[in-house]
Amino acid sequence: MHWTKVSILCLLVGLFLVANNATAQDNSPYSRYGLGDLNNNQNTVNRGMGGVSQGYADPTSVNFSNPASYSRLMLTTLDVGIEGGARSISDKNTRFSSGFGTISYLQIGIPVRKNWGLNLGLRPVTRVTYNIQQSKDAIFHDTLKLPIANRYEGSGGLYQLHAGTGVGIGEHFSIGVNVGYLFGSVETNTRVIYPVSDINATRHMTRVSYSSFFYKVGMQYKAKLNKDLDLTIGASGSLQQEMNARVETLSETLLYNASSNDFTNLDTVAYAKGNRGKVVYPADYSAGIMLRKLDKWMLGVDFNSTQWGNFTRFGAADSLQNAWKLSIGGQFVPNAMALSGYWNRVAYRLGGYYGLDYLKLGGENMPIMGFTIGAGLPVRRMPYSNQYSMINLAFDVAHRGNGNTALKENIYRFSIGFTLSDRWFIKKKYD
């Protein structure tokens, strides 16, 4: 095994942890609900095809959405994804925008032998980032009516550390499973600022830490239609699971400096740590088909359903509902075997999706829809090398909400995936 590659992998893990704990400029009011905004759960290849992933498998691409696909791995593949973009949220009167950027996933796929592959990965699952200020009038000294400011802030999120395996059974059928650890914490703060100097500002903090083991199973069936045409049917999912949770609360008084917008702690009023409880994590089911012409094109359709209506935290429900999404997308390569003309070997991707979001605010359903484009750019390999590298790009334009919802949101997301495939485990024949 090449120790240089091990060093690169360790460096990437460190960068992942630093990047996902760095302060971001993102501001998403919707992340107040549930466990936060849900991260995209596909790699960059599948994002470019509208999220189609259940019937997708490739010898040099790690599809963690369906672990049965690991059985098709032929080269050890290091896969890193990053994303960035902007969101715009508006109501009938106002509009504001914010930017975001993060590492999407870090994983390595390893072929153990023919029809048997492994995957080790780390990725963010949810993200909480909001900062909202609201003003309302309050009565002071019995007769004086003045406005007070409430500031609501949230940060944190959940992560998955997983190991998966996929095994081929016979020529057509494969099964797989991801197992791992789900962990993270979410901190929310409410600050109240008073307009009179004889009343100090207050802060109430709640931090909830989550931890749980999780699993996801998958299957794929590949049917050969003719010499270079095949159809793959795939499905994956997990049943409803319970997470362990622990809540920590803090109340304190603050000294507020209006000119610098800074807070200084004056006194701790109350602190409590140790209340434990359960969080119901919803069941998730996906199924899809993929029609492929070898080295030329592929076209697929996926359907996903997640039972967020069953979500509870410490026995309390939230403004959530069961969600679903229908995705369609595909890929086209002009000439994968072309010896000249670089753009003939590029994979061009296109897709879209429509569904119902997991949030239900004010009794209103929130539709979601999006359009995606992408490309796979092959990187020239060195002579006498087993390496095969690819830079995958995806651009997603998504919309959430409609005229009946309190807010409408537009998201513009650009994703980049770097895959380095090689035969890592080769014994040297010569020194």
Side-chain angles (χ1 to χ4, degrees), residues 26 28-39 87 125-130 154-158 185-186 188 210 243 281 308 311 313 318 320 357-359 400:
D26 195 9
S28 174
Y30 287 142
S31 66
R32 295 176 61 184
Y33 302 97
L35 297 171
D37 280 337
L38 304 178
N39 283 25
R87 72 174 76 243
V125 180
T126 69
R127 188 173 179 85
V128 177
T129 53
Y130 66 86
S155 61
L158 272 64
S185 65
V186 174
T188 60
Y210 302 91
M243 293 192 299
Y281 196 80
W308 281 104
F311 172 85
R313 179 170 40 215
D318 207 339
L320 309 182
D357 195 60
Y358 68 105
L359 295 179
R400 181 159 66 163

Side-chain angles (χ1 to χ4, degrees), residues 302-317:
D302 272 17
F303 181 80
N304 169 263
S305 176
T306 309
Q307 309 302 301
W308 281 104
N310 298 329
F311 172 85
T312 60
R313 179 170 40 215
F314 295 96

